[in-house]
Amino acid sequence: MAGTRSSTRQAAAASSSPTSSQGAPAANTGSAGRKRKGDSTAGPKSKRGRKGSDKAQATIEDTMPKDQNEEDSKDVDMKDDAAPTNEGIAEAEEPVNDEGQNELNEREVAVKAREDAVKEKEEALENEKPEGKDSANGVEESETKVDHGPDGDSSKTEETGEAEANEDVNSGSRIETPTTDDAVIESSKRDESTPSSIFEKGIIYFFFRGRVGIDEPSNVDDVARSYIVLRPIPHGSKLGDGPIGDAGTNRLLALPKKVLPTSPKDRFMIFVEKAKASMEDIKSSFASSDYATKTAGTRHTPAATPIGEGVYAITTTGRESHLAYILTIPSELSEVQKDVGLQQRGSFVTSVKNPQYAGPANATLPEGPKYPQEILDEFRSLRWMPLQPKLLDYVNTQFLVIGHADNDLEKATKQLPVDEKHDKDTPLEEMQKLEHEDELRVEHLRGDDSVFADLGLSSKEYPKVQTTW
């Protein structure tokens, strides 16, 4: 390690005082990678009498291997022109006799000699190594370069790796910050490019549950009900590696018709079974169960079976709202997905029912959504209005989904003039970006297992993604 990060140490040594608090030459600890810390009027002062107070933040030097002779210089003050602290020079403040003082001086001279030898070796290595690379390990010098500031002050260094990652190095960079979710990364650059016509985006999952006593449905008639799980993510975010974390914002949607609309003639109702649900809520809803009856004995309700995963967006084209999706799992459609009405890319026209009006007898819930008055006022006297994401945060919200003639995304992802004027991405371009990120994420999570990892489900307790009857 004697030849590593020489430019950093030389810059630090040039700006620091060569003398210790007792008038003797200041000694290095023997670690070739340790930098001296110069004056900083803005930095916090060390607290007297509080042991270990100077270890509040680990630096790069602290993580580097120590020199084998460092123990010899542990009682030498390493502060350059800084106020002495109780913990930093505890031994130096104790009374010493002439013999002890001579021994201390000899040790300081020995340390100084080692330091000079190290410097000579570093200078020789500096002349031999390639520009911009560290000759010892090939690491770029810029990774540990000291920020000298406008006045050449070498004491201004990055305090944490997080601060370095979030620093806006130049006017063209954008901050990207991981959220509390494992795979969701908020990006200011992505936020600027995402069109305003996308009300909401995220991950979408498709499930169905077999009828009572039927663990393995052989056709759609054996299915009791289908489900959609929406997992929204922030508007300006993108996807990284790992499972989607539990933000408690899941929506569990139930499809009484069991299949999705595939043409404009198909108009099916969907209702919100659970809103702002946690992963545990979803897990309990999809688990299998047994119950006893007086006539048929014990009955078994099978666990829900996943049949698809992908990305979605709730969009507006002005007068209409749409729910559009692109599947990631399975990579190719099979008979199960086709029979349920899933497409590789699909969308529906969506409209939310005004709970103040009665609906068809076969599509009426015992209790309607408990909207606040401000939402009810938005309906005015209309029976239906375009879907807004906030309406999905209320249990028993009912909305209509109408199929498109070609099941394409073109109509649902049409760009608004205002977004085109501000050079935003089209909704389709944003969805394609999200789909590509999700594809990489799923690949790293071993394909179908990503569904279980995202929702906190055990692959041993739930069926695998079903593609055939």
Side-chain angles (χ1 to χ4, degrees):
M1 295 299 294
T4 61
R5 294 155 178 86
S6 60
S7 60
T8 300
R9 183 167 47 261
Q10 289 172 5
S15 64
S16 60
S17 174
T19 60
S20 68
S21 61
Q22 294 188 3
N28 200 314
T29 60
S31 173
R34 184 176 294 276
K35 297 195 291 287
R36 298 185 184 179
K37 201 168 186 179
D39 294 337
S40 178
T41 58
K45 295 183 179 180
S46 57
K47 299 180 180 178
R48 294 179 178 272
R50 184 177 177 183
K51 188 173 181 179
S53 62
D54 58 343
K55 296 182 180 181
Q57 176 63 51
T59 62
I60 294 176
E61 292 80 10
D62 295 333
T63 63
M64 296 178 65
K66 300 292 189 297
D67 190 275
Q68 61 180 357
N69 297 320
E70 183 179 6
E71 190 67 21
D72 297 338
S73 59
K74 66 180 179 180
D75 59 349
V76 179
D77 182 18
M78 290 301 294
K79 301 287 184 180
D80 294 329
D81 298 333
T85 61
N86 293 336
E87 65 275 14
I89 55 172
E91 294 184 35
E93 289 182 344
E94 297 178 359
V96 293
N97 52 29
D98 293 340
E99 183 178 352
Q101 183 64 48
N102 292 336
E103 181 180 355
L104 179 62
N105 291 338
E106 290 176 0
R107 291 161 73 176
E108 290 178 341
V109 171
V111 171
K112 185 66 169 66
R114 285 201 308 271
E115 186 180 35
D116 292 341
V118 169
K119 287 182 179 180
E120 292 178 1
K121 186 175 181 180
E122 288 174 349
E123 290 175 357
L125 292 173
E126 183 72 13
N127 295 330
E128 296 177 1
K129 71 180 182 179
E131 182 179 357
K133 297 284 183 180
D134 183 78
S135 60
N137 53 20
V139 179
E140 291 189 6
E141 244 179 66
S142 59
E143 293 181 357
T144 56
K145 187 179 293 183
V146 178
D147 182 8
H148 293 276
D151 300 325
D153 184 5
S154 62
S155 65
K156 298 178 181 179
T157 59
E158 291 294 335
E159 294 183 356
T160 64
E162 182 180 356
E164 182 178 3
N166 290 338
E167 183 182 7
D168 194 3
V169 181
N170 54 62
S171 59
S173 66
R174 295 293 184 271
I175 297 176
E176 294 184 357
T177 308
T179 66
T180 55
D181 307 322
D182 293 342
V184 181
I185 302 173
E186 291 192 28
S187 169
S188 59
K189 182 178 181 180
R190 188 65 163 266
D191 190 38
E192 292 177 2
S193 64
T194 302
S196 62
S197 57
I198 292 183
F199 286 160
E200 180 180 282
K201 65 182 183 181
I203 309 297
I204 188 170
Y205 309 88
F206 298 92
F207 288 79
F208 65 52
R209 188 195 299 274
R211 292 183 180 276
V212 173
I214 302 178
D215 287 318
E216 298 180 0
S218 58
N219 53 55
V220 175
D221 292 335
D222 290 340
V223 175
R225 180 168 290 181
S226 297
Y227 299 92
I228 295 175
V229 176
L230 299 181
R231 171 61 172 86
I233 63 176
H235 187 264
S237 61
K238 62 181 184 178
L239 296 176
D241 281 340
I244 301 297
D246 188 359
T249 57
N250 300 291
R251 289 81 165 260
L252 177 59
L253 312 179
L255 288 70
K257 278 286 189 177
K258 302 181 293 187
V259 296
L260 295 166
T262 57
S263 73
K265 295 181 180 180
D266 297 331
R267 302 187 174 201
F268 302 151
M269 293 292 293
I270 295 178
F271 68 90
V272 178
E273 186 169 302
K274 288 190 175 182
K276 298 180 180 179
S278 66
M279 299 298 189
E280 191 62 32
D281 295 332
I282 302 297
K283 181 178 180 180
S284 62
S285 297
F286 286 165
S288 62
S289 63
D290 297 312
Y291 62 96
T293 64
K294 292 182 179 181
T295 56
T298 301
R299 305 296 300 273
H300 173 72
T301 300
T305 300
I307 57 174
E309 183 269 358
V311 300
Y312 79 93
I314 297 175
T315 67
T316 179
T317 54
R319 297 182 59 184
E320 295 178 337
S321 60
H322 302 260
L323 174 59
Y325 67 89
I326 302 177
L327 284 184
T328 304
I329 299 174
S331 56
E332 294 183 5
L333 295 179
S334 298
E335 59 177 338
V336 170
Q337 286 71 34
K338 293 178 180 178
D339 289 350
V340 174
L342 279 175
Q343 303 288 331
Q344 199 65 50
R345 296 184 173 194
S347 65
F348 319 104
V349 178
T350 56
S351 295
V352 179
K353 177 182 173 296
N354 187 341
Q356 299 175 98
Y357 289 91
N362 61 347
T364 300
L365 297 175
E367 185 179 1
K370 297 180 179 179
Y371 294 143
Q373 188 59 44
E374 59 184 25
I375 290 182
L376 293 175
D377 292 342
E378 292 183 31
F379 280 96
R380 298 173 298 185
S381 59
L382 302 175
R383 292 179 178 270
W384 304 87
M385 76 173 184
L387 175 63
Q388 301 177 41
K390 64 181 179 181
L391 301 177
L392 298 177
D393 290 332
Y394 294 90
V395 174
N396 292 336
T397 287
Q398 290 180 278
F399 64 98
L400 190 69
V401 288
I402 306 172
H404 283 309
D406 51 6
N407 286 305
D408 200 1
L409 296 181
E410 295 299 327
K411 187 175 181 180
T413 57
K414 183 179 179 181
Q415 190 175 33
L416 296 179
V418 63
D419 290 330
E420 185 176 6
K421 178 180 179 181
H422 291 88
D423 198 26
K424 301 274 189 178
D425 287 344
T426 66
L428 181 57
E429 288 173 339
E430 172 58 28
M431 290 190 67
Q432 288 173 334
K433 287 182 183 179
L434 203 62
E435 189 271 336
H436 176 66
E437 294 162 358
D438 189 50
E439 185 178 15
L440 295 177
R441 185 184 70 88
V442 165
E443 181 181 348
H444 296 165
L445 288 175
R446 299 180 180 179
D448 296 354
D449 288 344
S450 63
V451 176
F452 302 101
D454 286 349
L455 298 177
L457 306 177
S458 172
S459 58
K460 297 179 180 180
E461 299 175 4
Y462 295 85
K464 293 289 186 180
V465 175
Q466 186 166 333
T467 57
T468 58
W469 297 113

